[in-house]
Amino acid sequence: MGDCKSIVAVFDKPWEEVLENISREFKYVGKKRYGGDEGNKEWFKFYDTRGFRLVEVGDIDYGMKTTREWGGRVIALASVETYSRGSITLVQIEAWTSGFDFVLSSELMKFLKKLARTGAVLICGYLYGHEKLRDVFGDYNQFLLYERLAEIVRRKKLEVLPSDLTVIREDILGLEDGLYELVGESGLYVFVRGLGVEGYKVLLTVGEGLLDDDLYGEVLEYEDWFSSDITSLVFKPLGRKVENEELLKRAEEYFKAQAGEDGR
């Protein structure tokens, strides 16, 4: 388990099919399968698992480049935990090194696109043991987060933004590209656009600070904002569409600068 940053992908398919798809897209190696409820009870004896069963633990061998501040080195994601509850499969991929904070946003976007191609309905992240987890769910138990994410997928409707950077299947989102209010967060908005994978959207929180030229220049200077965004919990409702052409333009420029190439 451990204190680390995690990316979570939720699927509406059986776990065996999900892991087959992940194995086709990544270099995935399964280590251990957990059969029956007794093994799970022993593994999670201090947690309320909300009905989720750990079915397999494995590794993904996938390298991502970092910024110059981290020496431009390549780090890998590892420690894949796969959970099942009814028709929902949840895959958690833990970033096992602090170098994840310095992963280039463009590298993270490539990873998220690959993960979307495995059929994930929803992709977000969180920081295990962080106060935000407790503030949102009243406890540090990450299974409370899993339960909320599973409910979004089960109901096929996104009403709250899970994390500052979120990937979601289009039919669950039901919103066109643009800028939307983030209810309860003055000065913050949600920028929505295509991920670059057919049928998927990416949601990104942006602030009115982008309209400040000095701050905007500083924001564009750093190339690793998304690694922090994806592990920052939000769980605030999305509101009405906002017609602010200047902020929308800045948000598009910011996203493209981070995502690399043409942003897709």
Side-chain angles (χ1 to χ4, degrees), residues 23-88:
S23 296
R24 281 195 292 268
E25 197 68 40
F26 297 95
K27 293 179 181 177
Y28 170 78
V29 178
K31 280 186 177 180
K32 182 177 180 181
R33 290 194 175 184
Y34 292 78
D37 292 334
E38 289 304 315
N40 272 264
K41 285 179 181 177
E42 177 61 26
W43 188 254
F44 297 110
K45 57 187 175 183
F46 300 114
Y47 295 85
D48 177 359
T49 64
R50 316 300 287 188
F52 286 94
R53 292 189 308 111
L54 177 64
V55 292
E56 183 168 304
V57 173
D59 289 307
I60 281 181
D61 180 12
Y62 184 83
M64 294 191 292
K65 297 175 185 176
T66 58
T67 62
R68 290 187 297 274
E69 287 78 7
W70 193 252
R73 288 175 285 177
V74 174
I75 68 164
L77 294 175
S79 189
V80 179
E81 296 179 356
T82 301
Y83 296 89
S84 177
R85 191 179 82 170
S87 61
I88 300 295

Side-chain angles (χ1 to χ4, degrees), residues 5 67 75 97-104 224-225 227-228 231:
K5 295 188 173 184
T67 62
I75 68 164
T97 170
S98 58
F100 183 77
D101 289 338
F102 299 92
V103 165
L104 292 168
D224 55 357
W225 288 102
S227 59
S228 296
T231 57

Side-chain angles (χ1 to χ4, degrees), residues 113-124:
K113 290 174 186 178
K114 285 177 72 69
L115 196 52
R117 293 187 187 104
T118 68
V121 178
L122 171 65
I123 306 169
C124 65

